Amino acid sequence: MSTLLITGGTVVSATGRTVADVLVDGERIVAVLQPGSTLLGHDLAAAVDTLIDATGKYVIPGGIDAHTHMELPFGGTNASDTFETGTTAAAWGGTTSIIDFAVQKYGEAVETGLAAWHEKAGGNCAVDYGFHQIIGGVDEQSLKAMETLVDEGITSYKLFMAYPGVFYSDDAQILKAMQKAAELGLMTMMHAENGPAIDVLAEQLYNQGKTGPYYHGIARAWQMEEEATHRAIMLADLTNAPLYVVHVSAKQAVAQLAAARDRGKNVFGETCPQYLYLSLEEQLGAGGKDGFEGAKWVCSTPLRSREEGHQDAMWQGLRTNDLQMVSTDHCPFCMKDQKELGLGDFRAIPNGIGSIEHRMDLLYQGVVTGELTLERWVELTSTTPARMFGLYGTKGVIAPGADADLVVYDPAGHTSIGYEKTHHMNMDHSAWEGFEIDGHVDVVISRGEVLVSDGTFHGRAGHGRFLKRGLTQYLS
Ligand code: DUC
Ligand code: ZN
Ligand code: ZN
């Protein structure tokens, strides 16, 4: 068991900041100390195996990305990051835990889908990992199978109001699943878009010759997100099931969440970096309405119009806690052979963007520009994900007894994002090409092991362990 001391950094939590030393023994944090303190006469700096000087830097709990899709089968192909490449990229970016989505396909047993996910991830992750369970076919069998999820450490499951014929659940199925979830204490995660209506709009656009990626954003209109968000909230209200709406991008959907929260409901929302920074006009429309460049940014929910103010509403929602978290929805696809499946038909472009490596940096820009406080940055990227998904205490906090998942972040550093520069995700492009970041992930530690330091990766596939999660710790 090795020991490690981080000295002189500003330790940031969700509620404050203080200059302190952090002592790690083996996999755990054992003390947060006054800087330079000698513990019962021991010169700690001389006694530990590893000494890290964090003077002038922030020491934060490792990032938790609660929404990733490694190797997700989608649109006739698979998301291009394996658990090894995706979690390695996560580590480079200061994320030390992920929660990925195990998939139950329609017609398959939940247990089979879950076992397949354990098979893919086991022994392959560089950082710790947990699972949510996608229920792709709500029926008597899958409802029964939900009863065993809590014992498996899987305390949240996802339904889709979109993608008819693939993952889609209708209202009757959602109602039944939420009733079961309320009984079991499971968190219902919802992809809230009206899929059947979107498919009609998409077909109409295609038939008019509007076939480029830009029209993906037109077909998936904000009304489709607002309506589904409202419907999900009402079904959750009726069944008394806590609800977490994933990848919120429309300002009208945030308003629906805010209204429900104002009524005292356990309704939560997540947004993603792409909905804070990118837009329908600039990215989906890159290369013109009929160009194909925009395929890089085809994801669902879609990027929204900047003119309409959705991006500003996301930042505001993060400040007011109408949105509680920022996850990536990391679901990377290469342009070659993957996004290209949708050349001439935007409906066939696999949906997803790769961001796992950049979430901490991109959100830190919100601190730099004054959108967020330093403490809120930590809360949105680590502490709330831990609380929301039953990991808090072990993860999401710098305190004695917690896992030593720590990031030393240099606010005076700089990160130039680019495919040829800082890119470890298994993709042939970067959705964040050219983004210049004020700040730098200097050192990344997972359960006491230094994964990244001095611009070098020291981690390994297999270090990451499966996280058996408890029930949500966020309910009011
Ligand atoms: N949205 C995406 O962009 N990709 C995967 C699934 C989803 O809902
Ligand atoms: Zn989704
Ligand atoms: Zn997703």
Side-chain angles (χ1 to χ4, degrees):
M1 293 262 274
S2 62
T3 52
L4 181 151
L5 185 69
I6 305 175
T7 59
T10 298
V11 175
V12 187
S13 75
T15 53
R17 62 188 91 169
T18 182
V19 177
D21 294 350
V22 180
L23 182 63
V24 172
D25 189 2
E27 298 196 343
R28 300 270 159 78
I29 296 165
V30 289
V32 180
L33 301 150
Q34 199 181 335
S37 56
T38 52
L39 197 60
L40 301 176
H42 290 281
D43 180 353
L44 291 176
V48 292
D49 300 311
T50 308
L51 187 65
I52 296 170
D53 180 5
T55 306
K57 301 177 184 175
Y58 300 130
V59 181
I60 60 173
I64 302 173
D65 190 342
H67 188 155
T68 71
H69 297 287
M70 307 305 170
E71 307 179 34
L72 177 76
F74 193 104
T77 185
N78 293 326
S80 55
D81 263 323
T82 62
F83 277 90
E84 177 170 352
T85 61
T87 56
T88 301
W92 273 104
T95 286
T96 52
S97 301
I98 65 163
I99 311 180
D100 201 86
F101 286 85
V103 179
Q104 178 231 356
K105 290 188 236 150
Y106 182 76
E108 174 187 76
V110 173
E111 294 84 347
T112 308
L114 178 55
W117 241 254
H118 275 296
E119 186 66 28
K120 287 180 213 244
N124 291 321
C125 291
V127 301
D128 289 350
Y129 64 99
F131 297 144
H132 313 285
Q133 180 68 54
I134 286 175
I135 305 285
V138 178
D139 56 20
E140 287 316 309
Q141 204 190 1
S142 54
L143 288 167
K144 185 84 192 135
M146 281 170 70
E147 292 173 8
T148 61
L149 289 179
V150 174
D151 285 345
E152 301 275 347
I154 296 165
T155 52
S156 43
Y157 74 105
K158 182 179 178 188
L159 299 176
F160 289 78
M161 301 167 96
Y163 305 127
V166 188
F167 296 127
Y168 175 73
S169 290
D170 66 24
D171 292 349
Q173 291 171 308
I174 294 169
L175 183 77
K176 286 183 190 169
M178 283 183 171
Q179 284 170 336
K180 180 61 88 178
E183 187 186 307
L184 298 169
L186 292 172
M187 179 68 81
T188 300
M189 304 173 79
M190 190 61 80
H191 179 129
E193 284 187 300
N194 186 325
I198 285 170
D199 281 6
V200 171
L201 294 171
E203 187 177 11
Q204 289 170 348
L205 288 163
Y206 176 78
N207 289 338
Q208 291 161 22
K210 296 174 175 173
T211 62
Y214 176 82
Y215 296 101
H216 170 83
I218 302 300
R220 305 187 92 90
W222 60 260
Q223 290 90 339
M224 303 292 96
E225 185 181 344
E226 181 182 11
E227 184 278 327
T229 303
H230 177 76
R231 190 155 32 100
I233 288 169
M234 288 299 131
L235 291 166
D237 195 352
L238 187 71
T239 53
N240 218 12
L243 174 68
Y244 177 97
V245 181
V246 295
H247 49 52
V248 175
S249 64
K251 64 181 180 184
Q252 296 84 355
V254 179
Q256 291 293 333
L257 296 170
R261 292 178 57 74
D262 288 349
R263 295 197 303 276
K265 304 298 175 190
N266 276 311
V267 169
F268 312 107
E270 144 204 289
T271 193
C272 311
Q274 51 268 35
Y275 308 124
L276 293 164
Y277 290 105
L278 310 180
S279 73
L280 170 74
E281 297 88 354
E282 295 149 296
Q283 276 75 33
L284 277 176
K289 288 184 182 170
D290 297 319
F292 194 67
E293 178 80 6
K296 290 176 183 169
W297 297 280
V298 164
C299 60
S300 296
T301 61
L303 303 185
R304 304 243 174 242
S305 165
R306 195 176 292 284
E307 268 168 32
E308 291 173 3
H310 300 282
Q311 291 78 5
D312 291 343
M314 296 305 128
W315 284 113
Q316 179 168 314
L318 292 176
R319 281 192 297 277
T320 57
N321 208 39
D322 291 314
L323 296 170
Q324 291 73 33
M325 287 172 46
V326 178
S327 316
T328 54
D329 195 6
H330 178 76
C331 192
F333 295 100
C334 294
M335 282 294 264
K336 188 165 167 13
D337 296 336
Q338 295 199 297
K339 293 281 186 180
E340 279 175 5
L341 292 168
L343 266 169
D345 184 353
F346 67 84
R347 296 172 299 174
I349 301 170
N351 287 200
I353 290 182
S355 311
I356 199 164
E357 194 170 345
H358 306 308
R359 184 184 66 122
M360 300 300 284
D361 279 331
L362 288 167
L363 256 288
Y364 181 69
Q365 296 318 280
V367 179
V368 172
T369 58
E371 298 278 3
L372 305 173
T373 65
L374 199 54
E375 288 79 6
R376 187 66 175 155
W377 173 53
V378 168
E379 189 171 24
L380 292 167
T381 54
S382 179
T383 307
T384 299
R387 291 179 61 202
M388 189 69 74
F389 293 115
L391 292 169
Y392 186 75
T394 308
K395 307 288 188 191
V397 62
I398 297 178
D403 279 0
D405 291 0
L406 297 157
V407 173
V408 177
Y409 197 84
D410 183 2
H414 187 84
T415 307
S416 292
I417 300 181
Y419 184 67
E420 303 285 346
K421 298 174 185 165
T422 51
H423 189 97
H424 301 90
M425 298 173 284
N426 186 31
M427 304 166 69
D428 60 4
H429 65 279
S430 171
W432 301 96
E433 190 69 41
F435 271 65
E436 297 292 335
I437 302 291
D438 287 331
H440 188 259
V441 173
D442 267 10
V443 183
V444 181
I445 299 163
S446 161
R447 283 186 284 103
E449 277 193 30
V450 176
L451 301 189
V452 177
S453 67
D454 302 321
T456 307
F457 184 70
H458 310 282
R460 62 184 167 86
H463 166 78
R465 283 196 200 134
F466 177 65
L467 296 168
K468 265 190 138 191
R469 296 182 292 112
L471 298 181
T472 179
Q473 296 152 293
Y474 205 82
L475 301 187
S476 51

